[in-house]
Amino acid sequence: MSEQAVAFDSATYRQIMGNFATGVVVVTGLVDDQPVGFAAQSFVSLSLDPPLVGFSPAKSSSSWPKIRASGQFGINILGEDQQKVCADMAQSGVDKFANVHWQLGLTGVPKLDGVLAFIECSIEDEHDAGDHTIVVGRVQDCACVQGESGPLLYFRSAYGSFV
Ligand SMILES: Cc1cc2nc3c(=O)[nH]c(=O)nc-3n(C[C@H](O)[C@H](O)[C@H](O)COP(=O)(O)O)c2cc1C
């Protein structure tokens, strides 16, 4: 496909894409025995057989190259009461885990306390996608952690919950 001039600017594009409501996850990894992670709304369940999931880290992410080098990652699906966790994990260049409790999952990636579900993956594949990368992970283990809470949702740059 040839490149064409587009009739919308970057801010408008972001605003329009913000109309797609999503849940929020924190992608985690263990690097030099320390937890690393970042908030992501690009998580997607890709395949049941084999069990594959995906998400898209920005190429500007400082955490993803470190997690990638470890070869595995965790997906922590946030509950509606975890806005603060999400905000902490959406920062860059700070100690994001200062106020976040976690423990190691079966494969050695950090599981945040209080999440709805936790998925442990090995890195299966990566695809270039402009200023992001599409990461495909193979699920090695998964569990529902908390049954009662609803999901944390993100819509038009604001948090919400499922009613
Ligand atoms: C609700 C929400 C969803 C986000 N989704 C993504 C995402 O899918 N991919 C991404 O790269 N960054 C996403 N971000 C931004 C990162 O969490 C943010 O840039 C983070 O601070 C990057 O940290 P790092 O430099 O430690 O990687 C999201 C932020 C928020 C608040």
Side-chain angles (χ1 to χ4, degrees):
M1 194 171 78
S2 62
E3 291 199 8
Q4 296 178 335
V6 291
F8 48 85
D9 61 24
S10 171
T12 304
Y13 182 66
R14 289 176 72 107
Q15 187 185 10
I16 290 169
M17 293 304 147
N19 285 284
F20 186 59
T22 69
V24 188
V25 305
V26 174
V27 180
T28 53
L30 195 71
V31 178
D32 297 332
D33 290 331
Q34 297 300 315
V36 176
F38 62 98
Q41 63 178 152
S42 52
F43 173 72
V44 61
S45 170
L46 292 173
S47 166
L48 292 174
D49 185 16
L52 301 174
V53 299
F55 68 95
S56 301
K59 287 181 181 167
S60 60
S61 167
S62 59
S63 294
W64 175 244
K66 300 177 197 164
I67 299 173
R68 178 206 284 130
S70 77
Q72 52 191 12
F73 63 88
I75 295 289
N76 296 262
I77 301 180
L78 297 185
E80 60 194 348
D81 56 348
Q82 293 188 298
Q83 284 187 27
K84 174 77 168 64
V85 174
C86 182
D88 285 353
M89 294 295 160
Q91 301 179 77
S92 197
V94 298
D95 179 9
K96 302 186 193 189
F97 285 80
N99 300 306
V100 176
H101 298 286
W102 60 280
Q103 50 196 293
L104 285 181
L106 282 177
T107 68
V109 289
K111 174 172 81 63
L112 308 187
D113 288 2
V115 296
L116 297 187
F118 180 58
I119 303 161
E120 298 182 65
C121 303
S122 55
I123 299 173
E124 180 87 357
D125 211 347
E126 281 189 83
H127 305 273
D128 188 74
D131 58 8
H132 282 62
T133 304
I134 299 170
V135 177
V136 177
R138 181 177 284 247
V139 178
Q140 303 295 341
D141 193 51
C142 58
C144 277
V145 182
Q146 194 169 310
E148 299 300 314
S149 176
L152 180 63
L153 302 180
Y154 198 68
F155 175 64
R156 292 182 181 164
S157 303
Y159 296 108
S161 55
F162 188 75
V163 180

